[in-house]
């Protein structure tokens, strides 16, 4: 279920979203430039290896903790990068608009840190490097659903080779998305993750952090300038709800 379009109006350019996408793309281009032996050492250092922090024998050095931050800018392949950046591009601008740029940056990092901790607690003995922005982006999805539960999303569901498009409310999308993380996450608890895979609990932890932080992180309404008449989509309110054709500026 791929988000394709969203209807929340924004008033400010999403500079932090652009910066995060550029940082992730730049980091990935650096990754793919490394020879395999160097890349393995690089990922061991800057991706998140849960056993280094959560295993009974763990004795992390002070510099090791940086991996909780750096892992959220690394990716495991082009598809991994493109899917994450596309999702951030869909949900990020509206959340940044409501939180303000600096607050959104700290919010994004906080969600990424929560995702890393959740993944480590669920897989304390794993020596597989975990990497990717999906945990932090899950927090953005959680915040979006909390702030704009009735906003309309257009999602694409591929059926064989045929893409089908549907309109759903943001809260319904987030609920289905979260269930698709929780069910396999519960099924993988206690299993050997030596072969890698999807960090389900990173997604769950990031989403929970974003949902919980949303009310406190949101900028006061009085700090927003009024909407201009050409901001948003005709027929939708600024929060993405349908307006019955009255215009999004009401």
């Amino acid at each position: 279920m791929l988000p394709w379009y969203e209807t929340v109006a924004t008033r400010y350019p999403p500079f932090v979203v652009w910066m995060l996408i550029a940082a992730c793309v730049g980091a990935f281009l650096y990754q793919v430039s490394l020879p395999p032996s160097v890349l393995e050492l690089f990922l061991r250092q800057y991706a998140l290896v849960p056993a280094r922090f959560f295993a009974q024998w763990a004795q992390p050095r002070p510099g090791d903790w940086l991996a909780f931050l750096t892992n959220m800018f690394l990716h495991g392949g082009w598809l991994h990068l493109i899917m994450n950046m596309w999702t951030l591009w869909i949900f990020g601008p509206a959340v940044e608009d409501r939180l303000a740029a600096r607050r959104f940056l700290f919010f994004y990092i906080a969600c990424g840190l929560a995702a890393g901790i959740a993944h480590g607690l669920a897989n304390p003995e794993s020596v597989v490097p975990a990497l990717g922005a999906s945990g932090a982006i899950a927090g953005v999805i959680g915040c979006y659903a909390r702030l704009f539960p009735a906003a309309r999303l257009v999602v694409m569901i591929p059926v064989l080779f045929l893409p089908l498009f549907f309109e759903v409310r943001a809260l319904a999308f987030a609920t289905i998305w979260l269930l698709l993380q929780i069910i396999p996450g519960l099924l993988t608890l206690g299993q050997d993750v030596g072969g890698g895979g999807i960090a389900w609990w990173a997604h769950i932890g990031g989403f929970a952090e974003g949902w919980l932080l949303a009310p406190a992180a949101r900028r006061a309404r009085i700090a927003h300038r009024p909407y201009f008449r050409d901001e948003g989509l005709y027929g939708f309110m600024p929060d993405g709800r349908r307006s019955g054709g009255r215009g999004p500026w009401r």
Side-chain angles (χ1 to χ4, degrees), residues 87 111 115 133-143 177 202-208 210-211:
T87 306
C111 291
S134 52
I137 295 170
V140 177
I141 295 175
C143 183
W177 182 90
H203 300 171
I204 297 167
F207 182 95
W211 179 274

Side-chain angles (χ1 to χ4, degrees), residues 110-180:
C111 291
L113 295 177
I117 293 171
H119 175 68
L121 291 175
N123 305 277
E125 303 295 330
S126 174
V127 295
V128 178
L131 67 167
S134 52
I137 295 170
V140 177
I141 295 175
C143 183
Y144 185 100
R146 185 84 185 263
L147 297 181
F148 318 109
R152 301 298 179 123
L153 295 172
V154 175
V155 299
M156 188 269 285
I157 301 177
V159 178
L160 298 178
F161 298 102
L162 179 65
L164 301 180
F165 294 88
F166 300 90
E167 184 181 282
V168 298
R169 294 181 184 271
L171 186 59
F173 172 88
T175 301
I176 296 171
W177 182 90
L178 184 59
L179 287 174
L180 293 175

